[in-house]
Amino acid sequence: RAKASFGEAVCHFCPDMDEVARRQRRIATDLRHAVERGELHLLYQPQHALEGGTLLGYEALVRWIHPEYGLISPVDFIPMAEQSGDIFAIGEWVLNEAARAAAQWDDDLKIAVNLSPVQLQQEGLVQMITGILIDSGLPARRLELEITEGAIIADRTHALHVLRQIKALGISIALDDFGTGYSSLDTLGTFPIDKIKIDKSFLLRSAGNVQAATILRAVLALGRSLDIPVLAEGVETRAHLDLLRDEGCAEGQGYLFGRPAPLDDNGRQMAQA
Ligand code: C2E
Ligand code: MG
Ligand code: MG
Ligand code: MG
């Protein structure tokens, strides 16, 4: 409003904001139907052992192809879905789709699926997961659920209860984006965490940023002391890989190994366009 004297600028500014707002509303409405309309797709990104380079499995990453706007990133629509409650249908679709796909792969490949903090509060979550394992035929030991620290802070007692039930099924749990959330180191001691995924920001800044590199090393040392394997996200370069190997990091995921991509029925990445 203060800029009203720049008449022209206001005229160009307001319609744009209207357009943005209209698009946001349209996206929020359409998100409700994205699952039933078959607009969601999964891409799979490889996770590798750093010593020896063995392929260990894939993380499933969801994409939304909107009929008008095209590709929408999960960074944009997952928070919306968490707000609206659409995350329940989306989360179930993702688990189901990922489990069915992974059941066809080599028996030693794991599938990692992201679980929203909102889903951890969902009544019947454990029964839903159990049903999906039975229907897909995927052995529980091949499923890993990725949770963030945000999933734990809301209600620690409830989170612990649910995670113990999930563990009891034979599913493993990874702590995603480690180092960026409201970290309490106590979480690692109290919760049944099988793997720490250190957030990609640390590795990506490690070259020019002493602090980031120091935190990376500290997390690796922490994992070693607690006997929890660490996976580094954001392995983009040979230098990243060398650094991680020198520091004794167990696993890696990033563009150097492969981008999120569709898989063929045997669980191999298809040639990328
Ligand atoms: P995340 O679980 O931490 O997934 C890793 C993200 O890092 C992915 O982004 C991946 O494409 C990106 N990435 C992987 N390697 C590299 C690399 O070498 N360099 C860089 N710069 N980035 C890399 P994406 O696919 O856009 O997903 C973003 C986030 O959206 C995920 O972060 C996760 O929090 C959320 N998300 C994705 N799929 C799902 C889902 O099915 N359910 C839920 N609840 N959240 C999901
Ligand atoms: Mg993840
Ligand atoms: Mg992550
Ligand atoms: Mg993330």
Side-chain angles (χ1 to χ4, degrees), residues 79-93:
M80 244 184 216
E82 288 171 334
Q83 282 272 319
S84 65
D86 293 317
I87 191 67
F88 299 125
I90 293 172
E92 182 169 358
W93 180 85

Side-chain angles (χ1 to χ4, degrees), residues 44 47 57-61 98 105 110-114 142-146 174 197:
Y44 298 90
Q47 301 183 329
Y58 295 96
E59 177 177 4
L61 294 159
W105 306 342
K110 293 189 77 164
I111 176 70
V113 177
N114 292 283
R142 293 183 52 206
L143 178 61
E144 183 155 83
L145 294 176
E146 298 194 357
K197 294 189 76 176

Side-chain angles (χ1 to χ4, degrees), residues 118-253:
V118 178
Q119 285 178 277
L120 214 62
Q121 306 290 328
Q122 180 179 6
E123 202 161 323
L125 173 72
V126 177
Q127 291 88 321
M128 186 259 274
I129 296 171
T130 308
I132 286 175
L133 288 177
I134 293 169
D135 292 347
S136 65
L138 181 74
R141 63 175 163 75
R142 293 183 52 206
L143 178 61
E144 183 155 83
L145 294 176
E146 298 194 357
I147 61 161
T148 55
E149 290 154 298
I152 287 169
I153 48 161
D155 184 344
R156 284 179 81 83
T157 313
H158 181 70
L160 187 56
H161 177 67
V162 174
L163 292 178
R164 281 188 178 143
Q165 287 181 285
I166 289 173
K167 283 289 297 176
L169 293 173
I171 295 166
S172 57
I173 294 164
L175 197 53
D176 205 354
D177 302 342
F178 188 76
T180 60
Y182 309 84
S183 308
S184 148
L185 294 182
D186 185 49
T187 298
L188 292 173
T190 313
F191 285 78
I193 305 296
D194 300 287
K195 187 188 288 182
I196 296 169
K197 294 189 76 176
I198 182 164
D199 191 73
K200 57 180 175 288
S201 58
F202 298 103
L203 191 56
L204 292 176
R205 287 180 295 145
S206 63
N209 184 319
V210 178
Q211 272 180 14
T214 303
I215 293 170
L216 184 71
R217 286 194 185 87
V219 173
L220 290 169
L222 186 65
R224 257 194 306 281
S225 336
L226 294 171
D227 208 18
I228 304 175
V230 177
L231 178 147
E233 301 181 325
V235 186
E236 291 189 352
T237 65
R238 182 68 215 195
H240 289 154
L241 181 59
D242 291 342
L243 169 72
L244 294 170
R245 281 197 175 129
D246 286 349
E247 298 296 332
C249 182
E251 300 175 18
Q253 176 180 349

